[in-house]
């Protein structure tokens, strides 16, 4: 199916509340760090390599973030999950400050004051304060385009609240944020039922792999991904709500709505832990979805082989492929639905 036909089909589903977006961690990372290129979809080397150097990570796979994070957890922080994840957040915050200084986004005194308050600020707060990201009605960044679309629920595997900020800046300040408690002890009924009826005006942003405001909830290390995989598979199989950590609203839409997967690749750990295992359980009953993929590079023969492989790969799981960047997809969809 060509892109224009696919956009028309997805546009109709969006207008009739039959589609839900799933945004990758990569999508928000490119907002925070514009230097990230499309190649980072495969291993996130830009951030992982920098953190690995600080940690004196000794292995050759220093470009794979979950493995660097595992080293931080086991060796550097001696199995202290909270401290290890806080150190990663501190690292990201410092990267934002260095970026602001390098790009001369603000006066050095202003940056210094913000750095002093960094412990009390989230990564998203710092990015907004430093002017690294700016959202608004006149902004046509990916986040703002998605925020202006008529979705009642947004799913994401990013721990950062940039989407919530974009929604607020685009006339939806009542957006509610919640996250999947895949880890630790039993969760309360309140956490599972959410206590919120989402609407276009007050949408729900549901973080499948944790939030930075609760560091231990973040899916970051190899162990985290395996535990997340196991818990999500169990919850998608389990119809007994008292034993289920996944809200009925979320499990219901995963099976009944057309899912738009934006910013994922076959090598993305979030993709593999979510799509390749637990999500495949519902393939027979699930509505056909979409994934945006960068057009393959190389000579014509190589491009055709890659396209064939990806089409075959996703066909089994009832996903159509949009060939282009997520930004291009968002612009095309905006034009289709008149956003």
């Amino acid at each position: 199916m060509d892109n224009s036909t696919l956009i028309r089909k997805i546009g109709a589903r969006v207008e009739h509340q039959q589609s839900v977006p799933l945004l990758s961690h990569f999508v928000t990372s490119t907002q925070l760090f514009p230097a990230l290129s499309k190649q980072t979809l495969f291993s996130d080397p830009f951030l992982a390599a920098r953190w690995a150097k600080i940690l004196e990570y000794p292995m050759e796979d220093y470009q794979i973030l979950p493995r660097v994070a595992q080293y931080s957890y086991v060796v550097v922080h001696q199995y202290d999950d909270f401290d290890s994840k806080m150190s990663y957040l501190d690292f990201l915050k410092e990267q934002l400050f260095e970026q602001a200084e390098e790009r001369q986004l603000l006066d050095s005194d202003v940056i210094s004051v913000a750095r002093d308050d960094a412990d009390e600020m989230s990564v998203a707060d710092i990015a907004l304060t430093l002017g690294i990201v700016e959202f608004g009605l006149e902004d046509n960044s990916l986040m703002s385009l998605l925020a202006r679309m008529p979705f009642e629920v947004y799913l994401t595997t990013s721990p950062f609240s940039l989407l919530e900020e974009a929604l607020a800046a685009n006339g939806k300040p009542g957006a509610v944020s919640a996250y999947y408690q895949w880890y630790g002890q039993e969760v309360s009924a309140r956490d599972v039922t959410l206590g919120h009826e989402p609407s276009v005006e007050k949408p729900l942003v549901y973080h499948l792999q944790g939030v930075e405001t609760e560091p231990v909830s973040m899916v970051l290390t190899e162990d985290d991904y395996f535990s997340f995989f196991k818990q999500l598979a169990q919850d998608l199989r389990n119809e007994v709500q008292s034993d289920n950590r996944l809200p009925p609203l979320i499990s219901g839409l995963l099976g009944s709505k057309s899912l738009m997967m934006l910013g994922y690749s076959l090598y993305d750990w979030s993709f593999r832990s979510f799509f390749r295992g637990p999500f495949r359980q519902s393939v027979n009953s699930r509505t056909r979805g979409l994934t945006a993929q960068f057009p393959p590079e190389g000579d014509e023969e190589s491009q055709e082989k890659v396209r064939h492989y990806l089409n075959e790969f996703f066909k089994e799981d009832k996903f159509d492929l949009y060939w282009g960047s997520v930004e291009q997809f968002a612009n095309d969809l905006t034009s289709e639905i008149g956003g």
Side-chain angles (χ1 to χ4, degrees), residues 15-42:
E15 291 177 324
H16 290 85
Q17 297 299 325
Q18 294 300 307
S19 187
V20 59
L22 172 59
L23 280 66
S24 72
H25 181 34
F26 171 76
V27 167
T28 54
S29 294
T30 55
Q31 296 276 301
L32 295 169
F33 302 99
L36 288 171
S37 67
K38 68 180 182 180
Q39 282 76 26
T40 59
L41 281 169
F42 296 95

Side-chain angles (χ1 to χ4, degrees), residues 75-266:
V75 176
V76 180
H77 294 280
Q78 297 291 298
Y79 296 93
D80 189 318
D81 193 36
F82 178 81
D83 281 355
S84 181
K85 288 174 180 175
M86 283 297 294
S87 74
Y88 177 64
L89 292 174
D90 289 341
F91 159 74
L92 290 180
K93 291 176 183 180
E94 183 56 32
Q95 294 300 303
L96 291 174
F97 285 119
E98 291 181 9
Q99 181 182 173
E101 291 169 341
E102 182 178 331
R103 295 168 58 189
Q104 298 181 333
L105 295 175
L106 293 171
D107 183 82
S108 60
D109 291 339
V110 177
I111 296 176
S112 180
V113 170
R115 186 181 255 118
D116 290 340
D117 296 332
D119 287 346
E120 307 302 321
M121 302 171 71
S122 69
V123 168
D125 289 337
I126 291 172
L128 288 164
T129 299
L130 298 178
I132 292 173
V133 293
E134 296 180 285
F135 301 122
L137 295 173
E138 302 301 319
D139 170 43
N140 286 320
S141 69
L142 172 64
M143 288 292 186
S144 285
L145 289 175
L146 292 171
R148 290 196 285 269
M149 293 181 188
F151 294 116
E152 295 181 342
V153 177
Y154 294 81
L155 302 177
T156 180
T157 50
S158 170
F160 307 125
S161 59
L162 289 180
L163 183 53
E164 289 91 326
E165 297 291 347
L167 287 163
N170 283 276
K172 300 176 183 179
V176 172
S177 180
Y179 65 96
Y180 178 43
Q181 297 192 30
W182 56 272
Y183 63 98
Q185 304 301 315
E186 294 183 2
V187 297
S188 67
R190 167 74 180 180
D191 292 325
V192 174
T193 57
L194 296 176
H196 173 63
E197 186 66 33
S199 65
V200 172
E201 294 74 23
K202 295 183 178 181
L204 170 69
V205 180
Y206 193 74
H207 296 259
L208 282 161
Q209 295 189 334
V211 288
E212 64 164 309
T213 51
E214 294 291 338
V216 295
S217 73
M218 294 167 54
V219 178
L220 188 61
T221 67
E222 286 183 308
D223 285 353
D224 290 338
Y225 279 102
F226 295 139
S227 297
F228 169 83
F229 180 100
K230 180 180 178 181
Q231 186 63 51
L232 183 62
Q234 176 180 313
D235 287 339
L236 286 174
R237 285 195 306 265
N238 189 4
E239 297 181 358
V240 180
Q241 191 55 48
S242 60
D243 297 329
N244 203 317
R245 293 168 180 260
L246 196 65
L249 172 69
I250 304 302
S251 57
L253 66 84
L254 285 175
S256 65
K257 304 293 184 183
S258 178
L259 195 65
M260 298 173 3
M261 297 186 69
L262 304 177
Y264 294 93
S265 83
L266 306 188

Side-chain angles (χ1 to χ4, degrees), residues 285-298:
S285 60
R286 193 174 66 242
T287 302
R288 194 165 192 86
L290 168 146
T291 178
Q293 296 289 319
F294 281 107
E297 299 178 344

Side-chain angles (χ1 to χ4, degrees), residues 39-51:
Q39 282 76 26
T40 59
L41 281 169
F42 296 95
S43 59
D44 205 5
F46 176 83
L47 295 175
R50 289 193 177 193
W51 194 31

